[in-house]
Amino acid sequence: MTPATLRERLIVGLDVPTLKDAETVVRDLEGVVTFYKIGYQLAFAGGLDFARELASGGARVFLDMKLLDIDNTVAKGVENVARMGVSMLTLHAYPKAMRSAVEAARGSELCLLGVTVLTSMDEQDLIDAGYQYDPRSLVLRRAEQARQAGMGGIVCSAEEASAVRTVVGPDLAVVTPGIRLAGGESGDQKRVTTPAQAIRNGSSHLVVSRPIVASVDRRAAAQAILADMEQA
């Protein structure tokens, strides 16, 4: 992979409390990172307008909203997101929601991603939530449903990326959070993988937040992630 290709596959999560913090992170990573994730924390602090600003400035934006609602509500939300210029949007991988979203996004360049099982959840968490599947089985079931619905990709742990890739084929995006360099702190993630192993497992994009955003030298941290990816 060329350096340019690597940068396109690294998504930095702007998991910070304020727009000022987000702007600082983007400024610190200028020239190294071109793809950013905006989730709930920043979205509710003006992050949606910031997403439009980043997209209009040439950056790629992954809007991590994990939508789930009745079909019409999901569809109307996706229609508006498609007009924002962002590149990716997540929704929970429930079949009806995915089918509604795919139809709403038709004709746009928005890549819809189905969230399978959160990387903060393990088997006991799923049991507590009432699921009868272990994480791997549920991930693969939802990956197949996402493929059938016509989604653009899947969000899953890099531990499951190889198995997911066999289900969804070579063309769909497989986006993996829970990425840590060897020896790094796992934080609230329970299923983590190194950047190089994630790429070997079939991940198309890696989402990295805390190891870069919380670093005293963000550029060096991002470059270390990219260097590890290159080993794959």
Side-chain angles (χ1 to χ4, degrees):
M1 289 180 286
T2 67
T5 302
L6 286 173
R7 285 197 297 272
E8 292 169 358
R9 298 177 69 173
L10 173 61
I11 304 173
V12 172
L14 296 177
D15 298 331
V16 293
T18 70
L19 279 179
K20 183 177 180 180
D21 292 328
E23 290 165 352
T24 299
V25 173
V26 172
R27 186 165 57 249
D28 288 348
L29 295 174
E30 186 176 359
V32 177
V33 173
T34 61
F35 210 153
Y36 295 95
K37 176 182 79 72
I38 292 177
Y40 288 147
Q41 183 180 22
L42 189 61
F44 297 144
L48 297 181
D49 286 336
F50 189 53
R52 293 185 182 91
E53 181 182 328
L54 285 173
S56 65
R60 299 188 69 195
V61 178
F62 167 19
L63 199 57
D64 190 17
M65 293 289 97
K66 300 182 179 71
L67 301 181
L68 181 61
D69 212 308
I70 63 172
D71 300 355
N72 185 65
T73 300
V74 168
K76 296 304 181 185
V78 170
E79 287 174 2
N80 279 341
V81 172
R83 299 185 185 106
M84 291 175 61
V86 302
S87 299
M88 289 177 167
L89 170 70
T90 53
L91 58 147
H92 283 289
Y94 285 60
K96 287 186 71 178
M98 291 191 291
R99 290 194 294 268
S100 298
V102 167
E103 185 59 34
R106 197 173 305 281
S108 75
E109 296 184 1
L110 179 64
C111 177
L112 295 171
L113 302 173
V115 177
T116 54
V117 177
L118 301 176
T119 53
S120 62
M121 300 180 74
D122 57 19
E123 186 167 0
Q124 186 58 52
D125 294 319
L126 291 181
I127 292 171
D128 292 344
Y131 288 97
Q132 60 180 321
Y133 299 97
D134 61 272
R136 180 184 175 89
S137 297
L138 184 55
V139 165
L140 296 181
R141 177 181 175 84
R142 287 183 164 173
E144 174 60 23
Q145 290 169 333
R147 185 191 66 79
Q148 292 176 354
M151 295 282 283
I154 284 295
V155 179
C156 66
S157 162
E159 290 181 357
E160 294 121 11
S162 179
V164 165
R165 183 58 76 190
T166 66
V167 171
V168 302
D171 298 328
L172 268 67
V174 175
V175 180
T176 53
I179 303 299
R180 300 289 188 272
L181 288 171
E185 293 289 333
S186 296
D188 58 359
Q189 305 283 8
K190 295 183 178 178
R191 303 189 330 275
V192 300
T193 308
T194 66
Q197 190 59 54
I199 295 294
R200 294 189 189 103
N201 287 357
S203 300
S204 61
H205 298 78
L206 312 187
V207 180
V208 185
S209 181
R210 196 172 307 155
I212 293 174
V213 173
S215 174
V216 294
D217 188 338
R218 290 169 176 147
R219 292 180 71 85
Q223 288 166 339
I225 297 287
L226 289 167
D228 200 75
M229 292 168 65
E230 191 170 12
Q231 292 181 19

